[in-house]
Amino acid sequence: MVMEDAEAPHHMLLLRNFMAQGLVLGQHLLYSSPARDPRGFLGTLPSPAASKDDKSRERDPDQEKGLRIAWQYKKYFGENQLDGQRDGKHEYSNEFDLRKPLERHFINGPRIDCVSIQDSDLSTLRDRCATFLSQFPRNDGSISCAGRIAIQSFCAPQCAYSNMEWDMLSFIRSLKSMVRSSNSVAIVTFPPSLLSPSFCKRWQHMADTLLSVKAIQDEDKELAQLLTGYQDMVGFLNVHKVARINTQVPVILEATTFSIKLQKRRYLVLECLNQAPVDGSSGTSYGTSGGCSSSSKTGNLDF
Amino acid sequence: MNQRSSNLLDEALGLDQVIEPWPLRGRVVAIEDQVETSGSFVLHHLLKRSLSPNSSNVTIFIAFSQPFSHYDRILRKLGCNLVSQRDNSRFFFFDMLKLQCPDGDEGITPEGGLIALYGKIHKTISALPEISWKNVSIIIDDLSLMEVAANGSSDYVLDFLHYCRTLTSEFDCSLITLNHEDIYSSEDRPTFFIQMEYLADILIKAEPLATGLATDVHGQLTVSNKGRNKVSNFHFKVKENVVECFYPGRS
């Protein structure tokens, strides 16, 4: 589950990547949003970014003959590899080009189901999810196909059920149960400010994995001093909880806060935060600027 | 280290000395946790202890949170085989993942979800050999999801718990529950939560450290044992096959 920030729609960046990745890999998708026509959002899904390997394939064939390193074995895979594809199938990738829309044949296929939650009730949505997930029953055999469910802004005020807190909880519980018994994954985004604090906590406990996104203020000078690469950041992603299925051991990440960047305004990049180096040009240990040093001008981020 | 560390939690609960009769017999144990720090490992620990090969305990597990396979895999790593315990009629698993009380019928009629559930528990215990009646543990995971299943009727959930508590006196059962403290701390009138804490003979709170997350210390436990008039506080680290408990500064 992803907790949205009303200040900026960064959750949409995550949803776009999630949905595009599933379609490119040949997986089925159920997308639901408060929009009257959710299918319109599919046109904004990004295309896979060009693979870095494409450049390496332009090498001089004469040079390749003398190469002794392992990747020369690629000649045994045939000549029909394009853009990270192998045998016509896309390899798993997290890199998508936001400026290049996903090819139409991915969006127009029969593997996509869209549901508007503006006018429909929760039982209808539950039935649509159940029908969708029935295609991917979990058994002991191999996984033949998988499904992805993306529900955007689940408790948005446009939805008829948005003030029915217990019913929404019941739906999430039901969805969770269905997903657990199928080869599928679901992402639900919601604006926590629209829920009472108690129910917001209930939703958080429901999540297997819990994330939140936050907008970043433009021209925040204190943050600019504190963080490396601040000018490229559009927001923060926080990891509050990671799924613990079949285990009781909690996942302790090295970092729980990541910066959200749009590299060249095309690629969504999540990076661990790096503290800006302390300015040591004054020659003393405690300079007059820098996030970790004392300064003559005190700010609430100085320590 | 493992011997010592498991004894801190067992010691606080009175499980460090004897297994038979079950030290938690007739007691209500409430486990509370938060989003940042799950207390489910305490539930798994107590489940393992109750199914110890040296005891004749029978456990009824009411699962609103996870399917059987989840608990089975966790307990296997802890050295307990739930499948064989189930086959030997020492472990009864009630899968409540899909239980949803019909609207307006959260427990009023016998056909209502919670009444039916209580009836099933009572029937299961009554069907046991009389000698086993005094060694039954009822474990509920977790109460907040029971409220969801009851469409938010906390009063009916509380009634259900009161009925289960009568089993602690009628059959000398122990009742062990898990709930999420941070859900109720933001409520104006957390009646349900306060009543549950009042009912509990032993209160176990799992909380994050004040200093935040750490790889060597996953949180802190506070065990309030009303019967022993004792409060214990220690840190813990959860592993696949054991929970290490230690006093601060001694990891």
Side-chain angles (χ1 to χ4, degrees), chain A residues 84-102:
Chain A
Q85 294 185 25
R86 185 163 293 180
D87 297 332
K89 294 182 181 176
H90 282 266
E91 292 183 7
Y92 185 86
S93 172
N94 287 318
E95 296 182 5
F96 291 86
D97 187 345
L98 290 165
R99 286 194 167 179
K100 190 179 168 190
L102 194 59

Side-chain angles (χ1 to χ4, degrees), chain B residues 100-189:
Chain B
Q100 189 66 40
C101 300
D103 281 341
D105 188 25
E106 286 74 18
I108 301 174
T109 67
E111 290 77 29
L114 295 183
I115 293 275
L117 176 59
Y118 174 76
K120 198 174 170 186
I121 295 171
H122 196 280
K123 187 178 174 184
T124 301
I125 297 174
S126 302
L128 294 171
E130 196 169 328
I131 195 171
S132 298
W133 286 0
K134 291 191 178 300
N135 293 314
V136 177
S137 296
I138 301 169
I139 301 179
I140 304 176
D141 181 16
D142 63 64
L143 292 182
S144 72
L145 291 174
M146 188 183 277
E147 286 183 285
V148 178
N151 298 316
S153 299
S154 303
D155 288 343
Y156 290 125
V157 176
L158 208 49
D159 287 344
F160 171 83
L161 291 172
H162 279 294
Y163 274 105
C164 284
R165 192 157 185 271
T166 65
L167 296 174
T168 63
S169 50
E170 182 181 350
F171 292 107
D172 243 0
C173 300
S174 57
L175 177 62
I176 302 167
T177 65
L178 174 65
N179 206 354
H180 309 305
E181 180 263 337
D182 49 0
I183 288 176
Y184 306 92
S185 59
S186 51
E187 284 185 349
D188 291 333
R189 297 175 59 192

Side-chain angles (χ1 to χ4, degrees), chain B residues 81-98:
Chain B
N81 189 328
L82 291 184
V83 172
S84 62
Q85 298 286 8
R86 185 177 57 182
D87 294 342
N88 294 335
S89 298
R90 282 195 67 193
F91 181 70
F92 295 86
F93 186 83
F94 292 176
D95 188 331
M96 298 284 114
L97 264 67
K98 292 180 181 168

Side-chain angles (χ1 to χ4, degrees), chain A residues 136-149:
Chain A
F136 326 107
R138 175 167 289 193
N139 49 44
D140 293 333
S142 61
I143 300 174
S144 56
C145 62
R148 297 188 180 206
I149 291 180

